[in-house]
């Protein structure tokens, strides 16, 4: 088969890449401290729950420093993908965020949603898709770990993990920094941090960020407004024990993400280039004109009556976000002599309240979630032949929400889920040195998870009651158990060359969606990943070349879309549904390159090739009116949804053979930086980077309008650095091409037109930095 052939070729290529003959320029062994004195810097990561040199970790990890995030102007989760090409991030309304890594992910569209890629802040798993907001300031680094996280991380994840690590207080150091920024769209951003020693054994660090930017779209949406603060207290009573206390708060407000209409062969809409928001009178007029050509049911005015009768709503300008997030955690570490004990208790509260028209119809969500977690780990000492990490994890989440979705008076759905999740796990991973250069790795994890719900759901719409009262709630309970594992080998092919291979499994538990029983749940999704890679430093530590080949088997992927859900009256209506997609396969390779051409010239490249395909993927597309729904897949059958009640129909659609969602075949990030020496100990740093990506589909209907074509998006900056880097002045321009790139594209039911959210257009401004 072609996939096995491709993987075999990749394996052969890797085998040829890392022998000592290729690394012979690095033959003299050097210790770690010597390597850091020249050439490329060493980055320490905690991707395997212990501090390790990134180049000596046999897993695929992309690490981005806090300074790089600031230079890229990233202050929210959705923009992280511009620095990590294998990561695709989709906004879903309010502050919701969906993550995809190498095609693995799921849409997070309502209060039932959970991501397939774990998000961890300061070592704490964050359960809600809205909760990553407000974390991107005063950071040490962000780690993006690719592949299933089934043996080490707090809660299972099929696609990978995003680890956001804030800066820690420093003992005995008084200092801080301030960053001020102003740009187009009246972008005002300020961030500051202060580190204060309290005696010899205690230090306090306080950081804050304020963001206030107008919307990119003509109706004022897609703005960014929020205030965040974080306080960290480090206590080290002795050289063997420490405790880090962290508390953070984020207030998010404004209009939130908006969307634009996507023109098609049958629908005339404003060009994407004009950035016409969905609530702009021009967009509303386009929808009205198109709806006038359609035949509505008699109770919706008949021919041309969908919008004029209010059976279909158009977006309005009253969208808003009023969200608050709060969290506290402690990290206690103690040296037991034979190893290090780490205990991490944490609590977080997510209070989201927003109204959005991002999908083209009204959605209102009020959701309060409290989560508590406890992780305990024991790390053996690093200077022994058998090294291990063992631990336990407990997670409890209590969620109370009210969700309301209205296509218009033709179809409304309201549900009030009260959800509880309890997850318990024990895990461990060991590394054994067979010889000085060859290691065996094995790990396993046992997870037991239970979910309960007490939910009331009701659907309304003409010709009946538009907004009927909620009926009595129903209960539900689900239980899951699974063992996931990892096995691999590592070989030091040279002093600075590592070759690794492993097989790892991961899974994400099933859950509920917004429908009455009995058919209101979905099964777990599972992934098995086969990996072969090599990490290398050449040319006296000036050239870094990392290559990884991967093959993933993805079973029962959880796909969320707007479909038909059964209310407690037994009648199907429009609503968010989740099903398991059968089977998918992904394979490819990723190359990361850094080259310090001279002490003042740096080139970076990250390129990924990804081939993906759904082997089995059948979805029941729902039509309120019974009319056929456009699709890029094959309709294999149709049936009445509510016989004897209305004309609503299901269209069974086969999307087998299609690529997985958000899976560009090629993606790349290229960057170059040159430093000019000036007088007075000052430097001028000129930098440029570009992102290139081939086409991908963004939604399971596979419509042409839901396809993001290949694109190129480039940024440039010029930074004047003062003596000892005490101050900086940066001028920047992002998205030089002013490219329109779809971040998300959903089919608006009933009218069957597409609304899309966009990545930022061309932005520019100036940034001032001060350190003391």
């Amino acid at each position: 088969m072609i996939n096995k052939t491709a993987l075999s070729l990749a394996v052969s290529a890797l085998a040829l890449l890392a022998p000592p003959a290729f690394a012979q320029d690095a033959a003299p062994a050097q210790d770690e401290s010597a390597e850091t004195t020249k050439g490329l810097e060493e980055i320490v990561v905690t991707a395997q729950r212990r501090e390790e040199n990134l180049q000596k970790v046999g897993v695929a990890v992309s690490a981005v420093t806090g300074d790089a995030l600031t230079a890229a102007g990233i202050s929210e989760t959705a923009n992280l993908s511009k620095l990590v090409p294998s990561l695709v991030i989709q906004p879903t309304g309010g502050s919701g965020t969906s993550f995809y890594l190498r095609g693995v992910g799921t849409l997070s569209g309502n209060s039932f949603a959970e991501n397939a890629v774990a998000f961890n802040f300061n070592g704490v798993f964050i359960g809600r898709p809205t909760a990553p907001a407000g974390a991107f300031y005063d950071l040490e680094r962000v780690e993006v770990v690719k592949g299933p996280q089934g043996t080490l991380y707090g809660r299972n994840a099929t696609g990978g993990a995003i680890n956001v690590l804030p800066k820690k207080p420093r003992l005995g150091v008084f200092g801080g920094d301030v960053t001020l920024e102003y740009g187009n769209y009246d972008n005002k951003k300020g961030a500051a941090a202060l580190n204060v020693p309290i005696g010899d054994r205690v230090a306090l660090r306080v950081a804050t960020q304020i963001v206030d930017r107008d919307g990119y779209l003509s109706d004022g949406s897609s703005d960014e407004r929020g205030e965040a603060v974080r306080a960290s207290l480090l206590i080290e009573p002795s050289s063997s024990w420490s405790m880090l206390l962290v508390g953070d708060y984020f207030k998010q407000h404004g209009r939130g993400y908006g969307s634009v209409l996507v023109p098609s062969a049958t629908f005339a809409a404003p060009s994407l280039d004009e950035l016409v928001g969905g609530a702009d009178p021009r967009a509303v007029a386009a929808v009205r004109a198109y709806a006038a050509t359609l035949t509505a049911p008699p109770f919706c005015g008949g021919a041309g009556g969908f919008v004029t009768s209010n059976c279909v709503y158009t977006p309005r300008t009253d969208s808003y976000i009023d969200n608050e997030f709060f969290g506290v955690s402690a990290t206690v570490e103690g040296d037991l002599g034979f190893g290090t004990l780490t205990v991490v208790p944490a609590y977080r509260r997510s209070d989201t309240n927003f109204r959005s028209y991002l999908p083209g119809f009204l959605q209102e969500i009020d959701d309060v979630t409290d989560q508590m977690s406890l992780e305990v780990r024991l790390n053996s000492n690093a200077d022994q032949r058998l090294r291990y990490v063992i631990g336990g994890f407990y997670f409890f989440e209590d969620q109370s929400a009210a969700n309301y979705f209205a296509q218009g008076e033709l179809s409304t759905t309201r549900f009030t889920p009260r959800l509880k999740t309890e997850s318990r796990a024990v895990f461990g991973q060991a590394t054994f040195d067979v010889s000085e250069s060859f290691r065996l790795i094995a790990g396993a994890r046992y997870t037991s998870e239970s979910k309960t719900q007490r939910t009331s759901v009701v659907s309304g719409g003409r010709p009946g009651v538009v907004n009927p009262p909620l009926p009595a709630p129903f209960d539900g309970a689900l239980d899951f158990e699974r063992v996931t594992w990892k096995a691999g080998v590592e070989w030091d092919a040279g002093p600075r060359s590592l070759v690794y291979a492993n097989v790892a499994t991961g899974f994400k538990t099933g859950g509920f969606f917004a429908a009455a029983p009995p058919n209101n749940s979905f099964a777990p999704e599972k992934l098995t990943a086969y990996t072969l890679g090599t990490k290398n430093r050449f040319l006296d530590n000036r050239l870094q070349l990392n290559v990884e080949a991967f093959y993933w088997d993805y079973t029962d992927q959880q796909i969320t879309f707007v479909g038909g859900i059964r209310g407690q009256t037994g009648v199907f209506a429009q609503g968010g549904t989740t099903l398991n997609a059968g089977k998918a396969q992904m394979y490819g390779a990723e190359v990361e390159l850094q080259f310090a051409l001279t002490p003042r010239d740096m080139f970076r490249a990250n390129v990924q090739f990804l081939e993906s395909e759904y082997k089995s993927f059948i979805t029941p597309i729902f039509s309120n009116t019974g009319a056929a729904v456009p699709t890029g897949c094959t309709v294999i059958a149709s049936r009445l949804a509510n016989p004897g009640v209305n004309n609503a129909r299901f269209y069974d659609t086969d999307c087998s053979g299609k690529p997985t969602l958000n899976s560009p075949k090629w993606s790349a990030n290229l960057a170059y930086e040159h430093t000019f020496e000036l007088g007075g100990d000052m430097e001028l740093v000129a930098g440029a980077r570009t992102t290139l990506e081939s086409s991908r589909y963004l939604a399971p209907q596979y419509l042409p309008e839901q396809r993001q074509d290949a694109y190129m998006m480039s940024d440039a900056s010029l930074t004047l650095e003062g003596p000892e880097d005490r101050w900086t002045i940066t001028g920047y321009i992002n998205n030089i091409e002013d490219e329109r790139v779809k971040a998300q594209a959903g089919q608006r039911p009933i009218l069957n037109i597409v609304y899309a959210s966009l990545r930022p257009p061309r932005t520019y401004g100036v940034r001032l930095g001060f350190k003391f």
Side-chain angles (χ1 to χ4, degrees), residues 32 59 150 160 198 214 221 225 252 259 263 283 355 417 427 466 470 489 531 547 561 590 625 650 669 692 705 721:
E32 293 283 330
V59 294
I198 305 174
D214 290 346
S221 61
R225 307 186 196 278
Q252 185 181 33
S259 57
R355 176 186 297 143
F427 57 84
V466 175
L470 285 165
V489 296
T531 303
V547 184
F561 61 99
E590 184 170 357
T625 63
F650 281 109
N669 184 289
L692 303 100
E705 302 93 306
E721 297 181 352

Side-chain angles (χ1 to χ4, degrees), residues 657-677:
K658 295 290 186 180
T660 57
L661 300 178
N662 291 297
S663 303
K665 181 170 288 190
W666 290 98
S667 55
N669 184 289
L670 310 176
Y672 177 74
E673 184 178 280
H674 179 75
T675 302
F676 298 91
E677 285 189 349

